[in-house]
PDB file of all heavy atoms in Angstrom:
ATOM      1  N   LEU R  19     140.108  91.437 -17.496  1.00  0.00           N
ATOM      2  CA  LEU R  19     140.971  90.481 -16.807  1.00  0.00           C
ATOM      3  C   LEU R  19     140.152  89.325 -16.226  1.00  0.00           C
ATOM      4  O   LEU R  19     140.520  88.161 -16.322  1.00  0.00           O
ATOM      5  CB  LEU R  19     141.741  91.199 -15.691  1.00  0.00           C
ATOM      6  CG  LEU R  19     142.928  90.425 -15.124  1.00  0.00           C
ATOM      7  CD1 LEU R  19     143.998  90.248 -16.195  1.00  0.00           C
ATOM      8  CD2 LEU R  19     143.508  91.137 -13.912  1.00  0.00           C
ATOM      9  N   ILE R  27     140.565  79.403 -16.793  1.00  0.00           N
ATOM     10  CA  ILE R  27     140.231  78.361 -15.802  1.00  0.00           C
ATOM     11  C   ILE R  27     139.355  77.289 -16.447  1.00  0.00           C
ATOM     12  O   ILE R  27     139.595  76.092 -16.291  1.00  0.00           O
ATOM     13  CB  ILE R  27     139.523  78.980 -14.564  1.00  0.00           C
ATOM     14  CG1 ILE R  27     140.550  79.780 -13.742  1.00  0.00           C
ATOM     15  CG2 ILE R  27     138.871  77.894 -13.702  1.00  0.00           C
ATOM     16  CD1 ILE R  27     139.949  80.590 -12.615  1.00  0.00           C
ATOM     17  N   PRO R  34     137.355  64.640 -18.031  1.00  0.00           N
ATOM     18  CA  PRO R  34     137.891  63.276 -18.073  1.00  0.00           C
ATOM     19  C   PRO R  34     137.344  62.435 -19.224  1.00  0.00           C
ATOM     20  O   PRO R  34     137.979  61.480 -19.631  1.00  0.00           O
ATOM     21  CB  PRO R  34     137.500  62.695 -16.715  1.00  0.00           C
ATOM     22  CG  PRO R  34     136.391  63.558 -16.217  1.00  0.00           C
ATOM     23  CD  PRO R  34     136.615  64.913 -16.792  1.00  0.00           C
ATOM     24  N   ASP R  63     119.589  31.982 -55.923  1.00  0.00           N
ATOM     25  CA  ASP R  63     118.658  30.873 -55.672  1.00  0.00           C
ATOM     26  C   ASP R  63     119.443  29.577 -55.481  1.00  0.00           C
ATOM     27  O   ASP R  63     120.676  29.584 -55.510  1.00  0.00           O
ATOM     28  CB  ASP R  63     117.602  30.782 -56.786  1.00  0.00           C
ATOM     29  CG  ASP R  63     118.197  30.432 -58.142  1.00  0.00           C
ATOM     30  OD1 ASP R  63     119.360  29.957 -58.181  1.00  0.00           O
ATOM     31  OD2 ASP R  63     117.511  30.646 -59.159  1.00  0.00           O
ATOM     32  N   SER R  64     118.723  28.457 -55.326  1.00  0.00           N
ATOM     33  CA  SER R  64     119.389  27.194 -54.988  1.00  0.00           C
ATOM     34  C   SER R  64     120.310  26.705 -56.103  1.00  0.00           C
ATOM     35  O   SER R  64     121.230  25.928 -55.864  1.00  0.00           O
ATOM     36  CB  SER R  64     118.344  26.121 -54.648  1.00  0.00           C
ATOM     37  OG  SER R  64     117.437  26.022 -55.739  1.00  0.00           O
ATOM     38  N   ASN R  78     108.003  56.162 -46.148  1.00  0.00           N
ATOM     39  CA  ASN R  78     107.259  56.019 -44.895  1.00  0.00           C
ATOM     40  C   ASN R  78     108.021  55.184 -43.871  1.00  0.00           C
ATOM     41  O   ASN R  78     107.919  53.955 -43.867  1.00  0.00           O
ATOM     42  CB  ASN R  78     105.906  55.353 -45.189  1.00  0.00           C
ATOM     43  CG  ASN R  78     105.219  55.990 -46.375  1.00  0.00           C
ATOM     44  OD1 ASN R  78     105.326  57.198 -46.577  1.00  0.00           O
ATOM     45  ND2 ASN R  78     104.550  55.200 -47.176  1.00  0.00           N
ATOM     46  N   VAL R  87     112.399  48.124 -20.620  1.00  0.00           N
ATOM     47  CA  VAL R  87     113.430  48.757 -19.791  1.00  0.00           C
ATOM     48  C   VAL R  87     113.984  47.675 -18.875  1.00  0.00           C
ATOM     49  O   VAL R  87     113.216  46.940 -18.240  1.00  0.00           O
ATOM     50  CB  VAL R  87     112.866  49.924 -18.954  1.00  0.00           C
ATOM     51  CG1 VAL R  87     113.890  50.387 -17.919  1.00  0.00           C
ATOM     52  CG2 VAL R  87     112.474  51.096 -19.852  1.00  0.00           C
ATOM     53  N   ASN R 120     123.042  60.116  -5.410  1.00  0.00           N
ATOM     54  CA  ASN R 120     122.419  61.424  -5.170  1.00  0.00           C
ATOM     55  C   ASN R 120     121.309  61.725  -6.164  1.00  0.00           C
ATOM     56  O   ASN R 120     120.702  62.794  -6.130  1.00  0.00           O
ATOM     57  CB  ASN R 120     123.470  62.536  -5.260  1.00  0.00           C
ATOM     58  CG  ASN R 120     124.542  62.359  -4.212  1.00  0.00           C
ATOM     59  OD1 ASN R 120     124.238  62.015  -3.071  1.00  0.00           O
ATOM     60  ND2 ASN R 120     125.801  62.555  -4.591  1.00  0.00           N
ATOM     61  N   LEU R 127     124.229  56.965 -23.766  1.00  0.00           N
ATOM     62  CA  LEU R 127     123.973  56.479 -25.124  1.00  0.00           C
ATOM     63  C   LEU R 127     122.576  56.909 -25.550  1.00  0.00           C
ATOM     64  O   LEU R 127     121.633  56.820 -24.763  1.00  0.00           O
ATOM     65  CB  LEU R 127     124.069  54.942 -25.127  1.00  0.00           C
ATOM     66  CG  LEU R 127     123.878  54.230 -26.446  1.00  0.00           C
ATOM     67  CD1 LEU R 127     125.009  54.556 -27.413  1.00  0.00           C
ATOM     68  CD2 LEU R 127     123.807  52.720 -26.241  1.00  0.00           C
ATOM     69  N   LEU R 176     111.821  56.911 -15.827  1.00  0.00           N
ATOM     70  CA  LEU R 176     110.900  55.892 -16.352  1.00  0.00           C
ATOM     71  C   LEU R 176     109.628  56.533 -16.904  1.00  0.00           C
ATOM     72  O   LEU R 176     109.093  56.099 -17.923  1.00  0.00           O
ATOM     73  CB  LEU R 176     110.553  54.867 -15.262  1.00  0.00           C
ATOM     74  CG  LEU R 176     111.703  54.002 -14.749  1.00  0.00           C
ATOM     75  CD1 LEU R 176     111.213  53.035 -13.671  1.00  0.00           C
ATOM     76  CD2 LEU R 176     112.371  53.219 -15.887  1.00  0.00           C
ATOM     77  N   PHE R 207     116.667  44.200  -2.648  1.00  0.00           N
ATOM     78  CA  PHE R 207     116.410  45.521  -2.042  1.00  0.00           C
ATOM     79  C   PHE R 207     115.727  46.473  -3.024  1.00  0.00           C
ATOM     80  O   PHE R 207     115.385  47.596  -2.664  1.00  0.00           O
ATOM     81  CB  PHE R 207     117.716  46.155  -1.547  1.00  0.00           C
ATOM     82  CG  PHE R 207     118.344  45.391  -0.421  1.00  0.00           C
ATOM     83  CD1 PHE R 207     119.462  44.608  -0.630  1.00  0.00           C
ATOM     84  CD2 PHE R 207     117.788  45.447   0.853  1.00  0.00           C
ATOM     85  CE1 PHE R 207     120.038  43.894   0.404  1.00  0.00           C
ATOM     86  CE2 PHE R 207     118.359  44.744   1.900  1.00  0.00           C
ATOM     87  CZ  PHE R 207     119.490  43.955   1.673  1.00  0.00           C
ATOM     88  N   ASP R 223      97.725  41.503  -6.571  1.00  0.00           N
ATOM     89  CA  ASP R 223      96.666  42.183  -5.816  1.00  0.00           C
ATOM     90  C   ASP R 223      96.846  41.968  -4.312  1.00  0.00           C
ATOM     91  O   ASP R 223      97.461  40.984  -3.891  1.00  0.00           O
ATOM     92  CB  ASP R 223      95.296  41.633  -6.232  1.00  0.00           C
ATOM     93  CG  ASP R 223      95.012  41.907  -7.704  1.00  0.00           C
ATOM     94  OD1 ASP R 223      95.483  42.947  -8.209  1.00  0.00           O
ATOM     95  OD2 ASP R 223      94.342  41.076  -8.344  1.00  0.00           O
ATOM     96  N   GLY R 243     107.212  35.462 -18.545  1.00  0.00           N
ATOM     97  CA  GLY R 243     108.360  35.824 -19.392  1.00  0.00           C
ATOM     98  C   GLY R 243     109.629  35.069 -19.051  1.00  0.00           C
ATOM     99  O   GLY R 243     110.600  35.108 -19.804  1.00  0.00           O
ATOM    100  N   THR R 246     112.485  29.137 -18.391  1.00  0.00           N
ATOM    101  CA  THR R 246     112.411  28.104 -17.342  1.00  0.00           C
ATOM    102  C   THR R 246     113.341  26.924 -17.624  1.00  0.00           C
ATOM    103  O   THR R 246     113.213  25.877 -16.987  1.00  0.00           O
ATOM    104  CB  THR R 246     110.960  27.597 -17.189  1.00  0.00           C
ATOM    105  OG1 THR R 246     110.488  27.193 -18.473  1.00  0.00           O
ATOM    106  CG2 THR R 246     110.061  28.674 -16.628  1.00  0.00           C
ATOM    107  N   ARG R 258     113.031  36.788  -6.229  1.00  0.00           N
ATOM    108  CA  ARG R 258     113.856  37.970  -6.000  1.00  0.00           C
ATOM    109  C   ARG R 258     113.075  39.250  -6.367  1.00  0.00           C
ATOM    110  O   ARG R 258     113.229  40.290  -5.760  1.00  0.00           O
ATOM    111  CB  ARG R 258     115.098  37.871  -6.890  1.00  0.00           C
ATOM    112  CG  ARG R 258     116.311  38.452  -6.278  1.00  0.00           C
ATOM    113  CD  ARG R 258     117.521  38.208  -7.144  1.00  0.00           C
ATOM    114  NE  ARG R 258     118.464  37.352  -6.472  1.00  0.00           N
ATOM    115  CZ  ARG R 258     119.002  36.263  -6.986  1.00  0.00           C
ATOM    116  NH1 ARG R 258     118.691  35.874  -8.203  1.00  0.00           N
ATOM    117  NH2 ARG R 258     119.857  35.567  -6.293  1.00  0.00           N
ATOM    118  N   MET R 274     102.678  30.422  -4.260  1.00  0.00           N
ATOM    119  CA  MET R 274     101.963  29.922  -5.448  1.00  0.00           C
ATOM    120  C   MET R 274     100.725  30.784  -5.721  1.00  0.00           C
ATOM    121  O   MET R 274     100.388  31.036  -6.876  1.00  0.00           O
ATOM    122  CB  MET R 274     101.537  28.463  -5.241  1.00  0.00           C
ATOM    123  CG  MET R 274     102.677  27.479  -5.308  1.00  0.00           C
ATOM    124  SD  MET R 274     103.173  27.072  -6.987  1.00  0.00           S
ATOM    125  CE  MET R 274     102.226  25.589  -7.231  1.00  0.00           C
TER     126      MET R 274
END
Side-chain angles (χ1 to χ4, degrees):
L19 195 65
I27 288 172
D63 65 16
S64 55
N78 313 325
V87 169
N120 298 319
L127 182 66
L176 295 180
F207 295 105
D223 297 328
T246 53
R258 214 175 245 129
M274 287 280 265

